Amino acid sequence: GDTVRPEFFDADSVEDGVLILLARLEEMGYLAPEVTATITRRDGHELAFSWDSKFETILPRPLEATRLAFRARPGVRYYYDRIEFAGLEALTPAEARRYFISTEGLLRLRSTRVYTPARLNHSIRNLRESLARRGYADARVERAGLDRDDNTGAVTVRIRVDQGIRNMVRSVRTEVFGTGEPEAREIRTNRLNVPYSILWEQDFIYGLRTNHYRLGYPDVAVSLTPLERETNATSVQLDFDAIVQIGPRVKAGQVRFEGQRHTHARVIESRVSVEPGDWLNPLEVEQGRQRLARLGVFSRVGVRYEQTNTVHRDVTYELEEAETLGFSVLLGYGSYEQLRGGIEFEERNLFNDDELREMIEN
């Protein structure tokens, strides 16, 4: 629907607008901006107030403004001029800099090298996570020094890295147990020689579960425990034991949909590929749920399972149709039974980039 303009702006509204504008300027690399708000009161009298990044100006209260205008003086824009690394061996300096700036292209544009304290902290975390994925679980990355030229905006930052010793997965022994089976029905050992990280562990467990999901074991459980840990001069060699409890094998029973009122049944059914009698794969059920959610007509899409007998499990998609507030959905069918949909979304931000540029004095 249409946005209703308030009768007047109070002091809280003005200060909120200034805070958002200052934050947006800082995200763009302007760390010492000044924002001026020109306020027209109900009696026509104009007041002007200014704020910097400290945000120390407090407006008088009560305040009722019929007109409000912002002007931003951004000041110098800060950018990375140099990024230096000490103690980093797993990555080249050029590779590491990609976590701090968006490109290493021929053009050294300041817009791709924006510096803010928040961006620097985020980049340090990303570099630390990258080293962890490469097997350096105990790697430390920290800022060793920072020089900032307040006249030009040029920033030189020095990053100190302590990689620690590398953890490698030497082997994984996988034991597969059926329901109620005291002995493993399958035992295999894989020699991997890959870097160890929490992400590797999660991916390995996910892979084992996925393989059994496809075979109709929706309740499969996987545990991964270390067996051996051997340290040499350059790395820690890890051996793991993976225990797989596959659970019962299950087929899909009835596939139902609950809660739809206006959406055509064929639209819903076409998004779900699970068929009665198929081996029940939770990933396939989840893909159907995501496809239904992407239709844009439901505020919530859930899944409920019901065991009907020892072999079959019914799948019910629980649907909640969104209220027609803020968007409208037009549904119909053409000659090829294809969904015709028109979804109108309205997104309003207090300041978009074009409006922000208009406020900034060059």
Side-chain angles (χ1 to χ4, degrees):
D2 295 333
T3 300
V4 179
R5 179 173 175 172
E7 182 181 359
F8 60 85
F9 301 99
D10 60 15
D12 289 341
S13 299
V14 177
E15 290 172 353
D16 287 347
V18 173
L19 274 172
I20 293 172
L21 184 51
L22 287 171
R24 181 71 182 111
L25 287 167
E26 181 176 347
E27 290 174 3
M28 297 168 65
Y30 301 103
L31 304 184
E34 181 180 311
V35 173
T36 299
T38 302
I39 301 167
T40 304
R41 299 193 313 194
R42 286 196 177 203
D43 59 7
H45 185 67
E46 285 193 354
L47 302 173
F49 297 88
S50 295
W51 293 261
D52 58 17
S53 57
K54 297 179 181 179
F55 199 75
E56 295 177 339
T57 302
I58 304 298
L59 292 175
R61 285 164 168 80
L63 176 69
E64 295 184 356
T66 58
R67 187 176 183 276
L68 177 62
F70 292 101
R71 173 168 288 182
R73 298 179 180 86
V76 66
R77 191 176 198 182
Y78 290 84
Y79 67 97
Y80 287 114
D81 184 45
R82 287 187 317 196
I83 305 174
E84 302 168 354
F85 300 93
L88 182 63
E89 298 177 358
L91 298 171
T92 66
E95 290 172 331
R97 288 190 189 99
R98 295 193 185 104
Y99 293 96
F100 294 79
I101 59 178
S102 60
T103 181
E104 281 285 350
L106 296 176
L107 298 177
R108 289 169 55 89
L109 301 176
R110 295 188 183 184
S111 61
T112 66
R113 307 170 70 85
V114 171
Y115 162 80
T116 70
R119 288 187 182 216
L120 175 58
N121 291 334
H122 183 69
S123 298
I124 288 174
R125 288 195 300 270
N126 285 345
L127 179 55
R128 186 186 301 118
E129 290 173 3
S130 175
L131 290 170
R133 288 194 296 272
R134 287 170 166 79
Y136 299 96
D138 301 321
R140 296 176 57 190
V141 181
E142 56 190 11
R143 190 188 78 182
L146 187 142
D147 298 323
R148 200 171 91 174
D149 189 327
D150 293 330
N151 293 319
T152 65
V155 174
T156 296
V157 64
R158 290 174 290 279
I159 304 297
R160 182 170 57 243
V161 179
D162 181 5
Q163 293 184 171
I165 196 165
R166 196 179 196 190
N167 295 286
M168 300 293 293
V169 180
R170 180 167 54 189
S171 69
V172 179
R173 185 180 71 186
T174 303
E175 302 177 69
V176 180
F177 291 84
T179 302
E181 297 176 355
E183 300 293 333
R185 62 169 60 180
E186 179 185 351
I187 299 177
R188 63 179 182 274
T189 299
N190 298 102
R191 299 286 177 178
L192 299 180
N193 193 34
V194 296
Y196 170 78
S197 69
I198 295 298
L199 287 177
W200 170 84
E201 185 173 319
Q202 292 171 348
D203 288 344
F204 184 83
I205 292 175
Y206 179 78
L208 286 177
R209 294 177 66 184
T210 300
N211 289 339
H212 287 85
Y213 283 160
R214 295 192 180 101
L215 298 174
Y217 297 99
D219 303 322
V220 62
V222 179
S223 62
L224 190 67
T225 56
L227 287 176
E228 298 290 339
R229 178 185 177 95
E230 181 180 318
T231 303
N232 56 37
T234 59
S235 65
V236 175
Q237 300 292 320
L238 301 171
D239 299 314
F240 287 90
D241 187 27
I243 303 297
V244 182
Q245 300 283 352
I246 60 176
R249 201 175 192 192
V250 178
K251 290 185 177 182
Q254 296 299 313
V255 180
R256 303 186 180 93
F257 304 91
E258 293 181 354
Q260 75 278 14
R261 294 172 297 171
H262 306 295
T263 312
H264 200 286
R266 291 190 182 180
V267 175
I268 299 172
E269 293 167 359
S270 66
R271 264 53 181 188
V272 175
S273 58
V274 181
E275 296 287 345
D278 290 348
W279 290 118
L280 184 57
N281 182 346
L283 294 180
E284 192 175 6
V285 175
E286 173 61 17
Q287 289 170 357
R289 191 195 67 80
Q290 292 179 5
R291 293 190 193 104
L292 289 170
R294 286 197 295 267
L295 279 174
V297 299
F298 301 114
S299 59
R300 176 185 173 274
V301 180
V303 176
R304 185 178 75 249
Y305 294 99
E306 297 178 45
Q307 191 79 36
T308 57
N309 52 51
T310 57
V311 178
H312 293 87
R313 193 173 296 176
D314 290 348
V315 179
T316 302
Y317 288 92
E318 301 172 325
L319 312 172
E320 291 183 11
E321 291 187 343
E323 298 295 333
T324 54
L325 297 176
F327 68 89
S328 60
V329 181
L330 312 176
L331 297 177
Y333 275 83
S335 58
Y336 293 96
E337 297 296 297
Q338 294 178 336
L339 171 67
R340 298 197 305 269
I343 303 176
E344 302 171 0
F345 287 96
E346 295 181 356
E347 176 179 297
R348 296 182 177 86
N349 296 318
L350 183 57
F351 302 113
N352 60 37
D353 288 342
D354 290 336
E355 291 169 334
L356 188 57
R357 280 191 288 270
E358 291 178 2
M359 296 178 193
I360 294 176
E361 291 186 341
N362 295 321

